[in-house]
Amino acid sequence: MSNRLLSILSASLFIFQGLSAQDDKKDPRLMLGFNAGANFSRTSNSDTFPANFTKRNRLGIALGLNGMYDISSNAGIAFGANFVQKGYKLNNDTLAANPDITRKFWSLNVPLGLHFRQQFNAQNFITEKFGIVANFNFRGDSAFFVNDERRTAFRINEYSARNFYPMFYLGFAMGGTSENNNRYEFGITYTQSLSNDATLQVSHSEGLKKQFPLNYRGGFLHIGFSYYFNLSNFKKSSGYFY
């Protein structure tokens, strides 16, 4: 799996270098920047979910580097490499103390997609975006978690289905352009996997004798901020050093 991830990153780097190698007489279309934000993730629905348990949204963070190559005045190819904190939260509503188990782990997301822009005016725009993501989780093949180590009322056994898998994303953003043609966006993006991330076995009640299964697909809702630097600004300023 690590070899696959390295192959994807190497191919992406080769493509990005090719995109940036443009005629100096033209303004470059390539923009590079950063993004940061919060994401919400949880387990999938289950028909065997007991009435005294509820699944909750788990809040995590995401940050990384991103880029945009404009193929026209209102469309571009987006790419990046993001560290995303994912997971889930399960709550036992009958417990007064330590009623939940919160699971979190880091993953590396490498997205590639198309973004379309519609201008409100010369500075402001809205963006619709979609694409695919290569996801790699930083975690073991199995683990277990309890709500309380001394007085365990329920336990989750987690079994990884796969740590490397494809995902897709859909999103919407509002943004603007600065005086020096840098670009910023505030947006919402939903990312979902094309396969199962992990299976969970929840044990509860006296002696942990009762059990029910859950699935975790690895999807999340992201609310964040992106900023893109116009690389032509750096090329123009380089003339001062000659």
Side-chain angles (χ1 to χ4, degrees):
M1 293 183 181
S2 298
N3 292 334
R4 291 182 182 177
L5 183 61
L6 290 175
S7 299
I8 292 174
L9 293 175
S10 299
S12 300
L13 180 60
F14 178 79
I15 294 172
F16 301 160
Q17 288 176 341
L19 291 175
S20 61
Q22 302 182 51
D23 189 348
D24 291 338
K25 295 181 181 180
K26 299 180 180 180
D27 289 335
R29 296 179 177 179
L30 181 64
M31 306 183 77
L32 298 177
F34 64 90
N35 66 84
N39 62 76
F40 303 88
S41 56
R42 63 180 185 176
T43 62
S44 301
N45 292 324
S46 173
D47 294 335
T48 59
F49 211 82
N52 57 316
F53 281 88
T54 55
K55 58 182 182 179
R56 305 290 180 89
N57 289 319
R58 198 204 67 80
L59 177 63
I61 61 175
L63 49 91
L65 302 176
N66 56 339
M68 179 73 64
Y69 180 76
D70 288 340
I71 56 179
S72 71
S73 59
N74 57 6
I77 299 174
F79 53 89
N82 306 311
F83 287 99
V84 179
Q85 191 183 59
K86 301 196 298 183
Y88 51 86
K89 185 176 182 179
L90 186 64
N91 197 87
N92 187 330
D93 300 330
T94 63
L95 300 179
N98 300 317
D100 61 75
I101 293 177
T102 300
R103 168 63 160 145
K104 59 182 178 180
F105 59 89
W106 286 95
S107 66
L108 174 64
N109 283 192
V110 181
L112 180 65
L114 288 174
H115 291 202
F116 298 97
R117 295 185 303 276
Q118 292 82 48
Q119 297 286 149
F120 284 132
N121 49 46
Q123 287 79 33
N124 301 315
F125 58 86
I126 60 173
T127 297
E128 302 86 26
K129 48 190 176 181
F130 67 92
I132 58 175
V133 179
N135 177 90
F136 181 79
N137 295 330
F138 298 100
R139 66 168 184 200
D141 292 333
S142 63
F144 75 92
F145 312 94
V146 297
N147 69 306
D148 190 325
E149 293 184 358
R150 294 184 177 181
R151 298 180 179 179
T152 300
F154 70 104
R155 179 182 64 199
I156 298 177
N157 288 348
E158 176 186 288
Y159 305 97
S160 172
R162 53 189 57 82
N163 280 325
F164 183 86
Y165 53 82
M167 307 181 76
F168 70 90
Y169 71 89
L170 298 168
F172 168 82
M174 300 185 66
T177 304
S178 63
E179 293 182 358
N180 55 0
N181 289 325
N182 290 340
R183 191 179 297 161
Y184 58 89
E185 295 178 356
F186 297 91
I188 299 176
T189 305
Y190 175 70
T191 304
Q192 184 57 274
S193 68
L194 299 175
S195 56
N196 201 29
D197 180 294
T199 59
L200 314 177
Q201 191 71 33
V202 184
S203 303
H204 63 102
S205 298
E206 184 178 357
L208 303 178
K209 294 181 180 180
K210 294 184 178 180
Q211 295 181 339
F212 65 93
L214 284 175
N215 289 324
Y216 175 65
R217 293 184 58 83
F220 58 92
L221 181 68
H222 175 75
I223 301 175
F225 170 77
S226 298
Y227 195 90
Y228 300 89
F229 295 96
N230 185 353
L231 298 187
S232 63
N233 293 331
F234 298 96
K235 288 190 175 183
K236 291 175 182 178
S237 62
S238 62
Y240 293 105
F241 295 97
Y242 295 94

